[in-house]
Amino acid sequence: MSEVLPAIGQVLVLVAALALAVPFLGRYLAHLYTSPRHLRVEQVLYRGLRVDPDADQHWRTYTLSVLGFSLVSILALFGLGRLQQHLPLSLGFPALPADGAWNTAVSFVTNTNWQWYSGEVTIGHLMQMSGLTVQNFVSAAVGMAAAAAFARGLASTKRDGRVGNFWADLVRGVLRVLLPGAFVSALLLIALGAIQNLAGTSPVTTLSGGTQQMTGGPVASQEAIKVLGTNGGGFYNVNSAHPFENPTALSNLLEIFLLLVIPFAMAWAFGLIVRDRRQGIAVLSVMALLLTVSVGLLTWAEMAGPGLAPAAAGGALEGKEVRFGPAASALFGAATTGTSTGAVNSMHDSFTGPGGGVAMFNMMLGEIAPGGTGSGLYGMLMLAIVTVFLCGLMVGRTPEYLGKKIGQHEIVLVALYVLATPILVLGGAAIALTASDGLAGLQESGPHGLSEAVYAVTSAANNNGSGFGGLTSGTPFWNTLLGLLMLAGRFLPMIFVLALAGRFATQQHLPPSAGTLPTHRPLFVALLSGVALVVVGLTYVPVLALGPIVESL
Amino acid sequence: MPDVIYVLLTLAFFALAALLVGLLDRLLDRRGER
Amino acid sequence: MSLDKLDHRRTSILEALPGALRKLDPRALLTTPVLLVVEVGAAATTVMAILDPTTLAVLVTVWLWLTVLFGTLAESVAEGRGKAQAASLRALQQESLARRLRPDGSEEEIPSTQLRSGDLVVVVAGERIPGDGDVVEGVASVDESAVTGESAPVIRESGGDRCAVTGGTVVLSDRIVVRITSEPGHSFVDRMIALVEGSERQRTPNEIALNVLLTALTVVFVVVCATLYPIADYSDAHQSLIVLTALLVCLIPTTIGALLSAIGIAGMDRLVRRNVLAMSGRAVEAAGDVDVLLLDKTGTITYGNRQATELLALPGVDADELAEAALLSSLADETPEGRSIATLVGLDKLDQRPEGGVDRRPEGGTLVEFSATTRMSGLDLPDRTIRKGAGSAVAAWVAGTGGETSSELDALVQGVSESGGTPLVVAEQRGAAPARLLGVIHLKDVVKEGMRERFDELRAMGIRTVMITGDNRVTAAAIAAEAGVDDFLAEATPEDKMALIRQEQEGGRLVAMCGDGTNDAPALAQADVGVAMNTGTTAAKEAGNMVDLDSDPTKLIEIVEIGKQLLITRGALTTFSVANDVAKYFAILPAMFVVAFPQLDVLNVMQLSSPESAIVSAVVFNALVIVALIPLALRGVSYQPSSATDLLRRNLLIYGLGGLVAPFVGIKLLDLVVSLVPGL
């Protein structure tokens, strides 16, 4: 039982740190996304980019700006990957294959950071820093921008369909949140032992006497934004299990904190933007509730989990770093799949049956507990609207959320949002499990093979990016399939969210009365959690039954 | 050649996405109900 | 339930059957995608059952068809309830001969169906009014029972707010000239028939929105089941199309999908049963959303006429003396107010006198009628003159005879006014002596019983009530406080009313009101829910989106409740339908996969006897639950006005939790029966 106390202790430390940081950061974010003032450096930037940061954009313009920016980013990243051997600081690595370069470009722009390759032997420093790291910042900022636009649309009373300025949101998110946050975090990580240099590969003699090639590099800086921006693309193949990325139990906890802090703070900021703090707290509570349940389940599964191998070995330690142990691995696993990070400090492939199932279910929830930077918030709000619609009628009024009616047009957009991801995941899984190229990538057959494939498509379509391991995904088939899932899984939902934001921004605000369904009470928190679990559960239970559930029994 | 295919694939996706934006915009512009 | 009632229900279902069968046409199901998917599934399993007639295939096929049929049956039954009413209304439309006035004043006889808007027709006692219109000449009593169900005849006269007549009603006395206002086929009765039959039913915004969400859920489950085929193949747990179709139909929200339109029709029907005609379903939905109710004081909140409730004698005046004077002064007064004084005094004072009371028919008295100039009425006896009237007028009269006015009187008058009442001052002059002030009669607008409780309920529902009155502020404030309304609009003109509605709507609130006069028409049109009284003018009836045949302004409150009940019924059955899916998974999933993965049998928590029996039980439950819920859909879920939180908690408990638990029980029980079928 000596393992239980530290397991609980790390959770308590995490909760305390979040409780301190979230309201503060939330208030800062709310101000950031509503303030009309620009910093001097931002004004220079806007002039350079030739954009008007004060133009209140119609949702259509806002969305097209998001799409345009992302398109250019993907093409640029694709170019960087294909031309790597001609670029400086390539460490002598050749160009990425076309399918791999495309997959990586899409992966980093969509905040997925799915990695089909081993970073330390594939990507040179230039692409790492000017390509991937830049995207780690901006893709996170795009998600936050979309969520902010949605919150402003809900709060708007101007009835003009305008939701804010994408360029201002993007620049502020990067300059005022992610850069300073990542800088401080990187310093902390270096202090805790992560490495930061521009060295290439160097041979090291290991304890056992053999020689190993170690790649150095700007690891700490990459690591900081990887977790802060819920990106997850590690410098090293083994990601946060690598001692250069995540040296100690303390750095592990710090990384988990960084994963969770912005998504939770966005919920807090949401409450402030819609001028009702209780609404933000309610959303945050649902996120926290779902995360707590998954941490609990995952920790139980990994510490006392069922299965033949763990029983024989005295614990489910396969695929886990002994530095962290099962509890810290489970906490990281729940946090990384609950957010859209996908960084791993242990191999989810080796989780026990139920453990892998929980990680998968976390992503299937649409990553709302607490989700990616921004995307977690808007995903949760879409489910809140579904809840209001399904159950809100029971108070005898046509449904409304925060003073905006959920009519025919609104529900069309919500329905499209809700439809998009399951179609991508299940469709992707069906293709992967039928095509011979898909099956070729699976390491195992039977339920675990199914889990590998389903985990991969779920991770891609939900822009998580964590890998289950065991899947050889660096083939044209998998790279293309997962790339398409990432693209569609990122931008289709975002288009529907922004369209809904615009729709809400054309509506007049209805004042609440005693007859309105209250959406800040514990009853609603429970209801929303229940609807999320039931709606998602009903969609994925058959697949889960054939994979993780069979494995667990 | 695969480069061209992937670039075209990307362009096609974003073109369709932009089309979807336009479509939704027209759908939502039809006001009428309060 | 009595046998008689059961029998009645059976016949109504039998009558609805042909309609239900006709609705099986896939084109008719396009508006109900959930049922369309079931029908397509049923067609597919039919083919498979023919190719490979296993017991499972045949049973699933039969029950899938029954599922669709039960769905269309629900709508058909709901429509059937309006059919009888429509038939009796049609009887009003028999063609008759109308006497049209030519421009020169002579009459010509033409069939009533050829009357055009603007024609003038003459109708005399015993004749049927040939079309909707306004009386332009004469007064008549009219029997409108065929339309309103109210047997007492009503007066219709030219000019004013009582000029509208409805085609098909019968003139009982006198002769009137009516200007026709409707074109053939578009009369009030035509619209009523269309409404009660449901043939003109347009789906309401919320119903459409709910349908969108149900369609989305259906698509999700189609994807789930379609992709399950290859995924199960990969897992070496091959699934037959029969089983996948059964799973699909169990998962998609068939319950609410099948009952959705029945709920809407039944909601309209409930209004019709309360003699309210909603011109659009949208208005019924809006009624559930109403935030502000504008209620006219007179006739809605109060009984509509002031009544004497109290006699206040001045110091030094005997109470009996005041009572006697008040009674004598009111003998001439045939207004309800005057009669109420007689009633009050008669009950209050005179009955307690030992000898027979005062002389009710004073000899030699002259009645003095109330006039606008004197603002007094009274009685002149040979030796006595009694006057009652407005305080200032009576005081002036007293002073004119040399009598004394008193400050105590001013205090009494003030007190009555501030409490919302109307003070009538009573004075008398005996012989030639100066007149003497006696006291004050308190006339009061009596608030109807139970209004305060109703307003409290409305407040709990989040609805604000605003009383509209022509009274001055002081009176209005007092009555508003007594009735318990939230706000009032005093000295209201039609323009004020309109401005108030606009102002509320700009704040995002939905407003309901009722009215009958032509000057109410703009406000009725502006309000989100405008209920016109049937006694009102054609203009008012055209402007509102509902007509109350009973002309009862209080009905606005019932209309709001019906609107809410409609929405709650929809929400409750949606929640129930979705919650049902959990149990169905527990029945079907182990049944599908237990052969390939025996360990999944632990999910078979209901311990169903065999995989086939489990699947059939789930499908049968899914179909039967539609039938079981038809009565609820038609009746609406029970509704007590309370706050949103209480309503939600209660309905969640019943329909959410109930929806989770009920199918576990139902499927288990069905399995006990189904497992007896040979071949399963």
Side-chain angles (χ1 to χ4, degrees):
Chain A
M1 278 293 105
S2 62
E3 281 180 339
V4 175
L5 278 183
I8 293 173
Q10 62 170 1
V11 171
L12 289 182
V13 171
L14 185 64
V15 169
L18 285 172
L20 282 176
V22 163
F24 172 77
L25 182 57
R27 206 171 325 138
Y28 179 67
L29 286 171
H31 168 79
L32 185 88
Y33 286 117
T34 47
S35 158
R37 283 212 207 101
H38 308 291
L39 301 180
R40 185 72 51 79
V41 55
E42 290 172 349
Q43 281 167 340
V44 173
L45 210 57
Y46 296 135
R47 232 168 286 141
L49 287 168
R50 295 175 166 274
V51 295
D52 173 10
D54 296 314
D56 196 2
Q57 291 175 322
H58 189 260
W59 79 265
R60 180 188 52 226
T61 323
Y62 195 103
T63 314
L64 291 177
S65 305
V66 172
L67 293 175
F69 177 75
S70 304
L71 172 63
V72 170
S73 301
I74 290 175
L75 294 179
L77 219 50
F78 182 65
L80 273 179
R82 291 295 285 158
L83 301 172
Q84 174 159 263
Q85 78 274 34
H86 306 298
L87 300 172
L89 286 177
S90 70
L91 307 183
F93 295 143
L96 277 67
D99 56 290
W102 185 72
N103 181 285
T104 302
V106 168
S107 167
F108 277 76
V109 172
T110 55
N111 196 247
T112 314
N113 305 36
W114 170 268
Q115 290 166 299
W116 57 271
Y117 53 84
S118 297
E120 65 268 41
V121 293
T122 318
I123 310 275
H125 290 336
L126 183 80
M127 178 161 181
Q128 189 73 260
M129 289 193 297
S130 73
L132 305 188
T133 308
V134 166
Q135 280 307 323
N136 277 349
F137 282 95
V138 294
S139 70
V142 166
M144 291 160 72
F150 190 67
R152 285 187 304 242
L154 263 175
S156 169
T157 51
K158 288 180 299 190
R159 309 187 65 175
D160 54 4
R162 296 182 185 276
V163 294
N165 188 291
F166 170 67
W167 306 107
D169 289 346
L170 176 69
V171 167
R172 288 177 186 189
V174 172
L175 285 189
R176 300 200 210 168
V177 185
L178 296 169
L179 265 180
F183 184 74
V184 174
S185 315
L187 290 184
L188 286 172
L189 283 169
I190 292 169
L192 291 171
I195 64 162
Q196 177 80 4
N197 56 43
L198 282 181
T201 321
S202 47
V204 176
T205 310
T206 62
L207 283 177
S208 54
T211 318
Q212 197 180 337
Q213 295 293 322
M214 299 299 282
T215 306
V219 176
S221 60
Q222 165 81 11
E223 189 69 12
I225 186 59
K226 174 187 99 179
V227 283
L228 188 65
T230 64
N231 289 291
F235 192 89
Y236 297 102
N237 185 33
V238 293
N239 210 298
S240 291
H242 197 291
F244 288 179
E245 287 197 14
N246 189 7
T248 65
L250 200 56
S251 72
N252 191 54
L253 205 53
L254 173 65
E255 291 192 4
I256 296 173
F257 168 81
L258 293 174
L259 282 177
L260 299 174
V261 70
I262 290 184
F264 274 126
M266 283 300 291
W268 192 280
F270 163 74
L272 298 178
I273 292 175
V274 300
R275 292 179 291 273
D276 186 354
R277 199 165 45 132
R278 300 169 308 173
Q279 303 289 349
I281 294 175
V283 168
L284 195 151
S285 309
V286 180
M287 292 173 166
L289 186 68
L290 293 175
L291 181 64
T292 308
V293 170
S294 69
V295 167
L297 278 177
L298 199 51
T299 309
W300 164 80
E302 297 313 306
M303 289 180 75
L308 288 176
L317 266 177
E318 186 204 284
K320 294 193 180 67
E321 267 289 296
V322 283
R323 282 177 294 131
F324 305 133
S329 301
L331 182 58
F332 201 106
T336 195
T337 50
T339 61
S340 86
T341 312
V344 289
N345 76 346
S346 54
M347 295 302 112
H348 293 184
D349 187 29
S350 305
F351 275 180
T352 56
V358 170
M360 223 184 280
F361 193 78
N362 262 340
M363 296 189 289
M364 287 167 171
L365 272 176
E367 285 159 7
I368 49 170
T373 54
S375 60
L377 175 62
Y378 64 64
M380 181 63 89
L381 292 177
M382 293 306 248
L383 277 177
I385 293 172
V386 172
T387 307
V388 162
F389 198 90
L390 281 178
C391 305
L393 282 171
M394 284 194 291
V395 306
R397 286 172 71 94
T398 59
E400 59 192 78
Y401 185 59
L402 302 180
K404 303 282 181 168
K405 278 270 173 235
I406 316 296
Q408 184 194 348
H409 292 308
E410 290 77 14
I411 208 68
V412 166
L413 293 169
V414 175
L416 288 171
Y417 180 96
V418 172
L419 276 177
T421 321
I423 290 180
L424 292 174
V425 170
L426 294 174
I431 293 171
L433 291 171
T434 328
S436 56
D437 284 346
L439 294 170
L442 303 181
Q443 191 177 48
E444 304 201 29
S445 60
H448 200 68
L450 182 93
S451 294
E452 287 174 4
V454 171
Y455 195 102
V457 291
T458 308
S459 174
N462 286 289
N463 300 127
N464 183 279
S466 66
F468 205 47
L471 175 73
T472 312
S473 64
T475 62
F477 172 85
W478 278 102
N479 274 339
T480 311
L481 175 69
L482 296 180
L484 283 172
L485 291 180
M486 289 188 274
L487 263 185
R490 173 74 161 180
F491 293 109
L492 292 183
M494 201 183 273
I495 288 171
F496 302 137
V497 164
L498 290 171
L500 189 59
R503 179 71 192 175
F504 282 144
T506 57
Q507 278 192 26
Q508 125 188 76
H509 176 83
L510 313 170
S513 75
T516 328
L517 172 74
T519 51
H520 60 270
R521 299 259 181 87
L523 182 62
F524 187 77
V525 169
L527 198 56
L528 175 50
S529 310
V531 166
L533 290 174
V534 168
V535 168
V536 174
L538 291 178
T539 312
Y540 294 109
V541 155
V543 172
L544 289 173
L546 290 172
I549 296 181
V550 164
E551 285 186 71
S552 312
L553 297 170
Chain B
M1 259 317 95
D3 289 312
V4 180
I5 293 172
Y6 281 110
V7 170
L8 284 180
L9 188 62
T10 314
L11 290 174
F13 175 82
F14 279 95
L16 285 176
L19 207 67
L20 178 64
V21 172
L23 213 69
L24 290 176
D25 189 37
R26 276 180 55 189
L27 170 84
L28 300 189
D29 236 22
R30 257 192 276 126
R31 303 228 183 98
E33 84 265 53
R34 220 172 73 85
Chain C
M1 188 183 294
S2 71
L3 258 174
D4 189 40
K5 253 187 183 164
L6 252 175
D7 206 46
H8 176 71
R9 176 165 298 173
R10 198 168 300 136
T11 47
S12 78
I13 286 183
L14 278 181
E15 279 164 13
L17 205 54
L21 287 171
R22 235 173 294 127
K23 284 175 198 286
L24 288 180
D25 183 342
R27 283 166 301 180
L29 287 179
L30 278 178
T31 50
T32 329
V34 181
L35 285 187
L36 187 62
V37 168
V38 181
E39 187 167 60
V40 171
T45 55
T46 307
V47 174
M48 287 180 276
I50 291 169
L51 295 178
D52 180 17
T54 60
T55 317
L56 177 71
V58 171
L59 277 179
V60 167
T61 305
V62 167
W63 279 96
L64 291 193
W65 280 113
L66 284 175
T67 309
V68 197
L69 185 65
F70 292 158
T72 56
L73 191 66
E75 189 178 312
S76 201
V77 169
E79 286 174 356
R81 300 170 111 203
K83 289 254 161 66
Q85 196 155 3
S88 73
L89 285 170
R90 279 224 172 77
L92 298 178
Q93 288 192 310
Q94 313 151 348
E95 192 172 297
S96 57
L97 283 181
R99 287 193 276 152
R100 184 163 69 177
L101 279 180
R102 292 207 190 87
D104 60 10
S106 61
E107 294 176 8
E108 59 176 345
E109 295 213 328
I110 65 161
S112 58
T113 47
Q114 288 176 19
L115 286 173
R116 289 280 178 276
S117 180
D119 287 349
L120 292 175
V121 292
V122 177
V123 193
V124 298
E127 287 182 350
R128 209 176 269 275
I129 298 175
D132 297 354
D134 291 331
V135 179
V136 291
E137 195 186 313
V139 185
S141 59
V142 179
D143 173 13
E144 295 193 339
S145 59
V147 178
T148 63
E150 173 62 54
S151 54
V154 292
I155 301 294
R156 291 285 178 247
E157 58 191 343
S158 63
D161 289 345
R162 298 280 178 274
C163 65
V165 288
T166 309
T169 56
V170 177
V171 172
L172 295 178
S173 68
D174 306 293
R175 168 186 185 273
I176 48 174
V177 178
V178 174
R179 177 185 289 117
I180 299 296
T181 53
S182 68
E183 296 291 337
H186 297 279
S187 71
F188 189 66
V189 172
D190 286 317
R191 268 195 293 172
M192 268 183 81
I193 291 173
L195 279 167
V196 296
E197 272 195 326
S199 58
E200 222 181 54
R201 203 178 86 85
Q202 286 182 333
R203 292 189 305 156
T204 54
N206 175 258
E207 193 179 337
I208 295 171
L210 185 53
N211 215 4
V212 168
L213 194 70
L214 296 181
T215 309
L217 284 177
T218 307
V219 174
V220 167
F221 288 125
V222 168
V223 171
V224 167
C225 293
T227 54
L228 194 53
Y229 186 80
I231 291 173
D233 267 3
Y234 168 84
S235 308
D236 293 325
H238 180 79
Q239 294 305 318
S240 74
L241 286 175
I242 296 265
V243 170
L244 283 174
T245 311
L247 175 66
L248 173 64
V249 170
C250 286
L251 292 181
I252 61 178
T254 43
T255 316
I256 179 67
L259 297 175
L260 189 55
S261 62
I263 294 170
I265 296 169
M268 293 286 264
D269 189 57
R270 275 200 294 283
L271 275 180
V272 170
R273 273 153 202 264
R274 283 176 179 72
N275 266 348
V276 177
L277 291 184
M279 297 305 163
S280 75
R282 183 184 289 250
V284 186
E285 241 168 43
D289 279 353
V290 158
D291 301 286
V292 182
L293 273 187
L294 302 190
L295 298 168
D296 282 323
K297 183 199 79 177
T298 308
T300 310
I301 296 173
T302 65
Y303 281 109
N305 39 49
R306 288 175 296 187
Q307 296 175 5
T309 56
E310 206 180 354
L311 294 177
L312 304 163
L314 279 169
V317 178
D318 184 36
D320 287 345
E321 194 180 356
L322 173 63
E324 188 194 14
L327 179 63
L328 288 172
S329 71
S330 304
L331 289 175
D333 199 347
E334 275 304 309
T335 62
E337 292 165 16
R339 279 201 296 269
S340 80
I341 294 173
T343 312
L344 174 75
V345 174
L347 292 175
D348 210 27
K349 302 279 182 214
L350 301 179
D351 282 359
Q352 292 161 17
R353 297 180 72 166
E355 293 299 323
V358 290
D359 184 2
R360 287 202 164 238
R361 299 249 168 255
E363 294 294 324
T366 317
L367 302 174
V368 180
E369 301 266 341
F370 177 86
S371 82
T373 44
T374 60
R375 289 160 64 221
M376 290 189 297
S377 61
L379 179 70
D380 289 344
L381 292 171
D383 57 340
R384 259 172 108 185
T385 312
I386 302 172
R387 290 287 179 275
K388 74 162 198 283
S392 55
V394 176
W397 176 72
V398 170
T401 62
E404 284 175 29
T405 55
S406 89
S407 59
E408 282 112 345
L409 182 81
D410 292 343
L412 285 178
V413 166
Q414 181 95 13
V416 170
S417 296
E418 274 169 8
S419 73
T422 308
L424 282 184
V425 175
V426 184
E428 75 165 354
Q429 185 182 23
R430 287 186 186 261
R436 187 165 73 104
L437 290 164
L438 296 177
V440 176
I441 303 171
H442 184 170
L443 287 182
K444 195 173 160 191
D445 236 350
V446 179
V447 174
K448 288 184 183 175
E449 271 171 48
M451 288 317 280
R452 177 172 276 277
E453 289 70 28
R454 280 200 122 157
F455 293 139
D456 287 344
E457 281 176 5
L458 287 171
R459 196 168 306 114
M461 287 151 65
I463 296 172
R464 223 159 55 86
T465 42
V466 180
M467 182 183 86
I468 310 285
T469 173
D471 293 346
N472 63 51
R473 281 196 63 81
V474 177
T475 311
I479 295 174
E482 189 187 344
V485 293
D486 297 294
D487 205 350
F488 64 90
L489 185 66
E491 291 165 359
T493 63
E495 291 76 33
D496 292 341
K497 218 174 186 176
M498 187 77 177
L500 179 68
I501 295 176
R502 284 238 172 84
Q503 180 198 329
E504 293 288 353
Q505 286 176 337
E506 248 141 57
R509 283 172 284 264
L510 260 64
V511 183
M513 66 164 288
C514 56
D516 54 1
T518 299
N519 53 18
D520 282 332
L524 278 173
Q526 177 73 26
D528 301 279
V529 178
V531 182
M533 302 292 104
N534 191 48
T535 52
T537 58
T538 311
K541 284 202 253 182
E542 297 274 321
N545 42 23
M546 293 192 196
V547 175
D548 179 20
L549 300 176
D550 297 339
S551 303
D552 171 11
T554 355
K555 207 171 273 175
L556 205 46
I557 298 172
E558 277 174 60
I559 292 172
V560 168
E561 291 182 357
I562 291 173
K564 288 204 176 286
Q565 194 189 25
L566 171 74
L567 294 172
I568 293 175
T569 307
R570 249 182 228 158
L573 292 182
T574 307
T575 309
F576 186 84
S577 193
V578 174
N580 266 209
D581 281 2
V582 176
K584 291 176 194 161
Y585 262 134
F586 275 101
I588 297 186
L589 274 189
M592 289 172 86
F593 299 133
V594 77
V595 177
F597 302 106
Q599 62 266 49
L600 282 177
D601 196 49
V602 295
L603 295 183
N604 184 8
V605 290
M606 287 173 268
Q607 294 297 312
L608 304 179
S609 55
S610 73
E612 289 79 11
S613 164
I615 290 164
V616 172
S617 303
V619 171
V620 172
F621 176 83
N622 191 52
L624 288 183
V625 84
I626 297 175
V627 182
L629 290 176
I630 289 179
L632 183 69
L634 297 184
R635 196 180 59 231
V637 304
S638 74
Y639 167 71
Q640 286 115 25
S642 49
S643 75
T645 313
D646 292 344
L647 278 174
L648 182 64
R649 189 171 296 130
R650 176 176 173 278
N651 289 322
L652 261 184
L653 210 62
I654 300 175
Y655 299 99
L657 209 59
L660 277 178
V661 176
F664 279 103
V665 179
I667 293 175
K668 177 67 188 169
L669 291 177
L670 282 171
D671 176 70
L672 295 177
V673 179
V674 171
S675 57
L676 300 176
V677 175
L680 282 181

